[in-house]
Structures are given as C-alpha cells and as structure tokens.
C-alpha cells in the first residue's frame, strides 16, 4: 500500500491563541500572530482563537467558507466556553466575543470588526445581572446592533448615529455616557427597527448565527472599497485575505474603574523613549480610535489606576525587549484588571525610524545590519523634504497634535470629494475635517496634508497619515470645523474653502496663508553644511549619518549620478556620488546654442556643416572640462547626442502659421522657408522610434566625431592641468553591434588624433547603452565592441511594453493601476518579469563575452528603492540616478547587500 500523499492531510483552519506565534503572520494575520505571541509570553490576553487567512482565501475564491470550518469553529468555541465557564449568549450569564479582522499587514480601520457578539434580548438582562450594571448591558447591546447592522447587514451607519444624537438631544445631554439604562433600552428598540427597515430582516437573536455572520462579513470586508484602495496605495497584494480573531470580550465600559487605551513604547513621531499613548475612561476601543471623545494622556492613568499603570509599564518593557522594536499596544482595563488586546511592531514616522534604529543599537538590542534594515529609502526621501521657515512672518491660527511630520501648504477643503476633484485639476489641498474615518481615504490620498480638530495621536487621521507619509495635524481643538458651510472658524478668523493654509506636522502648528519653506536638516547634512557631530546637529542627523556610513560600508553597488553640468555634478558628489553614469549631452545644446544646432541641421553642404560643428566644438569642450573637473578622479560617462533632431527645430504648426502669415503679407523670409522644409523633412510619426541616438550619429556626418573630439580634448586639457579625468564615451540606442562598430572605429580614430596632437595617452573607455530589446537580446555580440553597458531602462521599458513614454502615464495608467494590471508604473519600478528578465540575460551574455564588462543602469529606475534591490541581485556594478536620489540609492544598495546575506547572518 502506498503512503497517502501530503495533500490529503486535513487542512487546519482554526488556531487557539496558545497554538500560534509571531512568525505565523501569513497564516494568522498580524493581530492573531501577536495575540498568540503575547499569550505564550504569559501576558494577560483574553482567551480566543484565530481563523486563518487560508479560510478567507477559500471564501474569496469560492464565495463560501470551507466546508470544514463550521465544525472546527464549534470545537474551538466549546473549548473557549469550557475555559471561561460560560456559554456564548447564554441568557443567565452570557459569554460574549469580539470578531475582529486582522490581515498579514496592518490595514487600520479598513476592514470590519464586531464587538459584543452573543448579546440578545434574552442575554442582555443576564449580562446586566452579572455585571451588576444595567446601563452597561444595554449600552453593550446597542453597540452590537449598531456595529452588526452597519458592517454585517450593510445598514447606513449614519442612521444609528442620528438616532443616538436624537436620544441625547431628547435627554438634553451631550455625551453618550449621560444616557441611562432606560434611554439605552429605548435606543435598542429604535436600532432594531432601523435594522428591520433597512436590512429587511430582524436583528438575529441566535448568538451562533451572529458569530457566523460576523465571520463571513469580516472575510468579505477584505474586498470592500476602502480595503482595496488602501491595498493599492500600500502595495499590499490582493490575494492574501484576512484572518479573523474570535476573542472573549473584556469591557472597558463598566464604569470609572474601567477604560481602554492605546500606547506606544516610544514616541512614534520622534522616537523618544517614554510613556506615550491615550487613555479613555469608561469606554470601548472604537471610541479611542475614532476620536469620538477626547482622551487623556496615558501618564494620567498613573493617577487613575496605579496598579494597572505599573503593570502596563512592565508589560511594555517586556514587549520591547521581546520584539526588539517600538511596539504599539491596545489594552482595556475591566474593573481594575488589565487586559492586552493587541500589540504589533508600531508604525512610525521616517525621522523616528532612523532615531529608533540607532537607539536600539546603543541599547545593545540590535546590531548595525539590523538597524539598516529597520529604515528604508522612502523614509529617507521623506526626511529630505523642506520644512517651514520659522523666521518667516506667519499668522498662527492654532495648534494641534503633531501627528505626522512634514510641511504642507494648500487650499482648505472640507470634504474628500472636493479634495479629490481639486487635486485632479492640479490644485494643492489640505483636507480639513472634524475627524476622519475610513471613507475619507480618497481625500487623504489626494491632499497635501490632513488637519482635524478632534482626536489624538492614535486617531484614524493620525494613524493613516503616518502610514502614508502624509503631513498631519490632528486634534486642533480651537478650530471649529463646519463641514456643511465649508469653512472653519478660529477665534474671529474665518477660513473659507479655497483659502490657503499651511500645516506643520512636526510641531502641530496651523497657519493662515502660505508659509515659506527651508531645506531639511538632513539635506543640509548631505550638502556638507551641517556636520553630524556639530552642536547644532540634532539626533536625527546623527542617526542618518551613522546608518548611511554603515550602508556605504556594506554595499556592493556603486552609486553614480545623472548630471550634465558642473553644478549638479558637484551636488551629486556631495551627496555621495561615485561618478557620473549619464551625462545627457542634448542638455548642452539648449538656449543660444540651439541656433547653432539649427544651422547644422539646415546645412546644405559639407563646408556649411563643418562650420557649424566647429562653432559647437569649443563650447562642448568647455562643458566637459567643467564636468571632468567637478568629478575629478571619478568616472564620467558622456552619452553622445540622443534625441531626434526635430527637438532642436521650431514647432511645425507655429512655423507653418508664421510662414503663411508672412506669405500673405508678401514678406518672403528665406530662412523660415528653409526651416519649414527641414521641419517637414524631419517630421516623424513616432520620433521616439525614429532618427535618434546612434542612428543620428551615423547619418549626420561629423556630429559624433565633434563630440568625441570635445571629450578627448577636454580630457587632455584636464590632464595638462594635472587633473585625473576619467571620461567614458557612451553610444545611445544601439540595436546591433554593426552600428556600434562603425561609431567606435570613427571615435577611436578621433581619439588617436587628439592623443597625437596633445602628446597625451587618454584611455577613454567606449561603451553603449542597452535600451532596445534587440540590444539586450544580442548582448553577447554587442559586448565584443563595448567596454561597458549601461541599461537605459526608460527606453527599454518603453520598447518592451510598447508604451510611448510621454503619453501612456497620463492617458491610461490610472485605469491600469485601478484594474490592478500593475501595482506601480513600470516606468517607476522596474518590471522584473519582463524588462528585468532582459536585463538579467543581457548581463549574463555580456559578461560571458567579456568577463570584465562594466555594467550599470542609468534609467529612472536607478534611484527607485525596489529596483535598486533588483539591480544588486542581477549583479550590476552601479546604479545612476538624479543627484537628489543618491542618498536613497546608497541606503537601498546597503540594504540590498544585507538582504542578500540572508536574515540569519544579520
Ligand atoms: C533611458 O532610456 O533609460 C535613458 C537613461 O535615456 P533617456 O531617458 O535619455 O532616453
Ligand atoms: Mg534612452
């Protein structure tokens, strides 16, 4: 008899909290994995179990939950009931549970959660008796109907909110805690009527039915609009699914000795160690996150309930030492007993990420390699944004909580719809709300910054903005936000929709009008204007310095700059560039030199052409001398002219009109006529695929020779001046080795001439761009004639996909992104499967022909974090990117090196 194959072993869909651990995030989601981890650490976690993401995947694929799920849930529920000594929804003493979503990656507020499952008309009195608190029981019941109605039965949440407001108005009170048991009992009736009318069914009284429906609703919420949008934004794959945590309820709304809170082991905005968080007495978790009532700082808990506070502090220390990172925590105190409801490695601002990473190294908790992996290029890029000029005259409107740093200026808008509409038409907007909720996500994405008048550091606005790296000020209570009239009032000042406001997410300050900005200290540091050890350098600059130094020590990839003038080259060098990977010489033919190029194009015979080239030669030579001087001792790759010639000629329509008008006036302009003829001659339907790059060099006699001569003479002049020029000559848009061979022969002859004339040996490397599929496919042949390859991934992406670079992003990429055809534009992050596979094979083929072949990339992808990891992995020697992105590329090259070592050796 054969052994049964593995697949037939029964798949397990439900795990008790005692069975999991923090490394099972794929299966149990982040929340479930960490609840299990805390349970196993012996921390006070209410017992419960987790339904796996695999069960959700089955539900998403088939529209129904796996057949085995029900009986597995029954077995785990029974075990839970035994442990708790009560049964789900039992009238006399009901066990109540929460049903919470929890995916692998945190998606705050984007999916559903239902609390107090198990309450019914029958068990609400039992709960009241057990708790000795009738008000509490009815409050819990109304919350269940409200949450269940909204998330499971799809009833408009506003209807419940309105009914609650009305109940408060009738009673003449302003906060819900002032509603008594009798009021809440009435409200429950009202809520049940709303459910019946809107959902067409009664609120289910069977506790198990409540639980099963809630589990399905959580599964389904994975595909809700908000969740999908959030995933697209955060690049979270669509097929992961969510786990569902069923957890015995503990209550923070049992009176003043109960409450609920959120805490961080360090300040997520600054990284400072200390007690950070918010606490809300006599409340359930959603009250804190939604910012509905104002919380008190966590430190106050010491006065309210010292024993719980002390225990919480000990637990926070245990968690930091266990997770070796900043943790965020949700907890509840039920009549003086502390319960941990959630923990995870917390989100933090970019600045805090750098500071925390180095603090943890100093505490001996992690090593430098791990510290490098705790930060990323996107965070570094954020730190390089400018800040508000504190010395500028400003009109301070008010101050809120500095929830997510940055300096944002924009027009005030008071709803998400307007934020999206205005930003689509190119306006910069600040989204101002009393508080945000998940429905505001679109507007938050569209806005430069978010400002709210209510809620703390853990409110929805703060958490989501931090996750997105968006500037946010929240809880600015002096601002009276009137969304209906689209304005806010502060003291006597009224800010109308469209008025400019500036918000500072690092200080929490809100200004009227546009405040000027100054460079970030991190940029000042890279520029060499601030030294990491200097008195005025803050902890952040010191942390960035340490991590950058480490990244530089471990990275294999070198980082060069795309720069075509001395100023950019010098900046790039200050930012750590190890050479120039792409000097686009067409940028040297602009301004007044354009006319000379025009003459070159219009030349009828050799002499005229030679004359035009002769005029350009000294100018080009001067350019290259300056560039080589700025990059003395480092390689400078100069690319010969690439763009189609019509780019140097006047626009065809404008010129035609000018000629026609002149003709009508009988004003005959010979030059314009010649120009128009040339423009017609050179007009192309697809200029990007036309006469450009090496093709130009082959058909315009003398053009490339002039450029090569200028480079060679410049190098000779630099040598003469005792410099160390390292120019490299690069041929663009090569499709076949024959093109390269012809240009190469011509270039070598020119170089030899200059060497002979100057008596200097120049050793100029000659190489090519690989930016056409054919070049990549015939890399083995091309390497015979090239000393280096530089992958032009902009053109390679264009030609591999058949996407016109200048057209597609605006015309249909949004639709493609929305449909999930790709998660990010392939012009931004390299398409590894398509374009990347050509790069990979060309690397192998090129090196097989010429083992010492130098390989780099100079397309935009050279500065993109994810792409840098790919280029490291395929074995390039360097990436080249715009000067401002160099620090990001250095950092990511270091991270790529650590990553490829594998996590064991970190
Ligand atoms: C490229 O195609 O990737 C490249 C760097 O050249 P350009 O963007 O100038 O075409
Ligand atoms: Mg190109």
């Amino acid at each position: 008899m054969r052994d049964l194959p593995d697949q037939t072993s029964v798949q397990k869909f439900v795990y008790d909290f005692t069975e999991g651990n923090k490394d099972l995030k794929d299966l149990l989601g982040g929340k479930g994995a960490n609840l299990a981890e805390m349970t196993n650490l012996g921390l006070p976690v209410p017992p419960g179990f987790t339904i796996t993401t695999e069960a959700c995947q089955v539900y998403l694929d088939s529209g129904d939950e796996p057949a085995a799920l029900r009986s597995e849930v029954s077995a785990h529920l029974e075990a839970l009931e035994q442990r708790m000594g009560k049964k789900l929804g039992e009238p006399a003493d009901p066990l109540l549970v929460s049903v919470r979503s929890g995916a692998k990656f945190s998606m705050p507020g984007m999916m559903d959660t239902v609390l107090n499952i198990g309450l019914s008309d029958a068990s609400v009195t039992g709960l009241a008796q057990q708790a000795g608190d009738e008000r509490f029981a009815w409050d819990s019941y109304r919350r269940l109907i409200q949450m269940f109605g909204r998330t499971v039965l799809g009833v408009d949440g506003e209807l419940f909110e309105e009914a609650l407001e009305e109940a408060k108005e009738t009673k003449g009170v302003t906060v819900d805690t002032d509603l008594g048991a009798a009021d809440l009992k009435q409200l429950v009736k009202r809520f049940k009527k709303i459910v019946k009318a809107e959902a067409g069914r009664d609120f289910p009284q069977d506790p198990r039915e409540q639980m099963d429906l809630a589990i399905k609703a959580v599964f389904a919420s994975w595909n809700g609009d908000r969740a999908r949008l959030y995933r697209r934004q955060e690049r979270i794959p669509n097929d992961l699914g969510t786990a569902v945590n069923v957890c015995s309820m503990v209550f923070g709304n049992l009176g003043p000795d109960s409450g609920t809170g959120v805490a961080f082991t360090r300040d997520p905005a600054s990284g400072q160690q200390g007690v950070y968080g918010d606490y809300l007495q006599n409340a359930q978790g959603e009250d804190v996150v939604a910012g509905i009532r104002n919380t008190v700082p966590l430190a106050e808990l010491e006065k309210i309930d010292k024993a719980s506070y002390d225990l919480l502090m000990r637990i926070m220390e245990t968690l930091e030492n266990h997770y070796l990172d900043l943790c965020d925590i949700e907890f509840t105190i039920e009549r003086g007993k502390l319960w941990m409801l959630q923990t995870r490695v917390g989100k933090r601002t970019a600045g805090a990420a750098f500071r925390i990473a180095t603090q943890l190294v100093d505490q001996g908790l992690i090593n430098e390699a791990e510290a490098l992996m705790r930060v990323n290029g996107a965070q570094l890029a954020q730190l390089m944004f400018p800040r508000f000029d504190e010395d500028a005259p400003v009109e301070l409107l008010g101050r809120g909580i500095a929830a997510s740093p940055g300096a944002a200026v924009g027009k005030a808008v008071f709803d998400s719809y307007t934020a999206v509409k205005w930003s689509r038409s190119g306006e910069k907007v600040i989204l101002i709300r009393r508080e945000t909720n998940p429905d505001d996500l679109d507007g938050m994405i569209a806005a430069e910054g978010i400002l709210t008048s209510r809620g703390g550091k853990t409110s929805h606005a703060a958490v989501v903005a931090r996750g997105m790296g968006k500037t946010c000020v929240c809880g600015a209570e002096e601002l009276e936000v009137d969304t209906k009239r689209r304005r806010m009032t502060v003291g006597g000042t009224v800010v109308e929709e469209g008025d400019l406001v500036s918000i500072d997410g690092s200080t929490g300050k809100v200004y009227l009008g546009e405040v000027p900005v100054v460079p970030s200290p991190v940029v000042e540091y890279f520029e060499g204007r601030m030294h990491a050890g200097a008195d005025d350098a803050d902890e952040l600059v010191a942390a960035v310095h340490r991590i950058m130094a480490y990244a530089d020590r471990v990275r294999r990839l070198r980082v060069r700059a795309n720069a075509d003038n001395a100023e950019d080259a010098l900046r790039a060098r200050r930012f750590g560039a190890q050479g120039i990977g792409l000097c686009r010489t067409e940028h040297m033919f602009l301004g007044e030199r354009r006319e000379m190029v025009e003459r070159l194009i219009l030349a009828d015979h050799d002499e005229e052409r030679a004359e035009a080239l002769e005029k350009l030669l000294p100018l080009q030579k001067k350019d290259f001398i300056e560039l080589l001087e700025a990059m003395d001792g480092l390689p400078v790759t100069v690319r010969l002219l690439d763009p189609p010639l019509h780019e140097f000629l006047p626009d065809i329509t404008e010129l035609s009109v000018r000629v026609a008008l002149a003709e009508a006036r009988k004003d005959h302009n010979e030059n314009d006529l010649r120009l128009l003829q040339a423009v017609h001659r050179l007009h192309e339907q697809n200029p990007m695929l036309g006469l450009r790059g090496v093709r130009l060099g082959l058909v315009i006699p003398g053009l490339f020779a002039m450029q090569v001569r200028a480079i060679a003479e410049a190098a000779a002049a630099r040598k003469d001046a005792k410099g160390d020029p390292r120019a490299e000559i690069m041929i663009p848009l090569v499709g076949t080795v024959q093109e390269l061979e012809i240009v190469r022969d011509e270039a070598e002859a020119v170089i030899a001439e200059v060497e002979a004339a100057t008596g200097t040996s120049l050793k100029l490397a000659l190489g090519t761009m690989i930016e056409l599929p054919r070049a990549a496919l015939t890399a083995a042949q091309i390497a015979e004639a090239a000393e280096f390859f530089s992958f032009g991934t902009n053109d390679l992406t264009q030609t591999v996909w058949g996407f016109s670079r200048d057209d597609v992003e605006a015309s249909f990429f949004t639709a493609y992104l929305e449909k999930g055809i790709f998660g990010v534009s392939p012009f931004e992050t390299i398409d590894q499967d398509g374009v990347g596979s050509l790069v990979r094979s060309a690397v192998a083929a090129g090196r097989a022909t010429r083992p010492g072949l130098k390989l780099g990339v100079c397309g935009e992808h050279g500065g993109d974090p994810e792409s840098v990891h790919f280029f490291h992995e395929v074995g390039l020697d360097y990436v080249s990117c715009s000067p401002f992105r160099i620090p990001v590329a250095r950092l990511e090259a270091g991270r790529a090196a650590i990553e490829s070592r594998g996590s064991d050796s970190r």
Side-chain angles (χ1 to χ4, degrees), residues 586-653:
E586 55 271 23
H587 293 171
M588 299 167 162
F589 287 171
L590 303 174
E592 55 200 26
R593 299 184 190 179
R594 200 178 163 127
E595 212 175 291
M596 295 178 201
V597 184
E598 209 173 275
R599 240 175 280 149
L600 173 71
I601 300 168
L602 293 180
D604 275 342
H605 43 79
D606 290 351
E607 261 164 57
E608 221 179 313
R609 191 173 302 114
E611 209 179 294
L613 286 170
E614 222 160 280
K615 285 221 169 85
L616 280 165
L617 177 67
L619 299 172
Q620 278 267 270
K621 181 175 162 185
K622 185 168 165 287
D623 296 330
F624 297 139
I625 289 177
E626 284 171 11
L627 209 56
L628 289 170
E629 190 176 355
M631 278 285 163
D632 198 52
L634 295 174
V636 174
T637 307
V638 181
R639 180 179 75 184
L640 305 187
L641 195 66
D642 181 24
L645 288 179
H646 74 91
E647 286 197 9
F648 299 98
L649 296 177
D651 176 75
I652 191 163
T653 319

Side-chain angles (χ1 to χ4, degrees), residues 562 582 584 586 639 642 692 769 771 791-796 805 858-860:
N562 291 357
L582 174 64
R584 291 181 163 105
E586 55 271 23
R639 180 179 75 184
D642 181 24
R692 54 173 284 222
M769 294 196 65
E771 49 185 344
F791 289 93
T793 46
N794 301 336
D795 271 308
L796 200 55
R805 275 163 74 170
C858 61
E860 281 305 304

Side-chain angles (χ1 to χ4, degrees), residues 122-141:
S123 63
V124 64
T125 29
L127 181 68
Q129 262 164 21
Q130 289 299 327
D133 186 340
E134 211 184 343
R135 184 200 175 277
F136 153 74
W138 286 101
D139 188 39
S140 302
Y141 194 22

Side-chain angles (χ1 to χ4, degrees), residues 19 53 90 194 240 352 413 464 473 650 660 768 801 806 818 869 891 898:
E19 293 176 293
T53 52
E90 192 180 46
I194 295 175
L240 299 180
V413 292
V464 175
V473 173
T768 182
W801 280 88
D806 297 333
E818 264 162 24
H869 287 243
L891 186 84
I898 299 291

Side-chain angles (χ1 to χ4, degrees), residues 93 166 199 295 333 358 388 396 495 527 553 801-802 818 832:
D93 182 10
E166 264 177 48
T295 54
I333 298 174
T358 50
F388 286 134
L396 189 66
V495 179
E527 283 285 10
R553 263 205 321 279
W801 280 88
E818 264 162 24
Q832 296 193 13

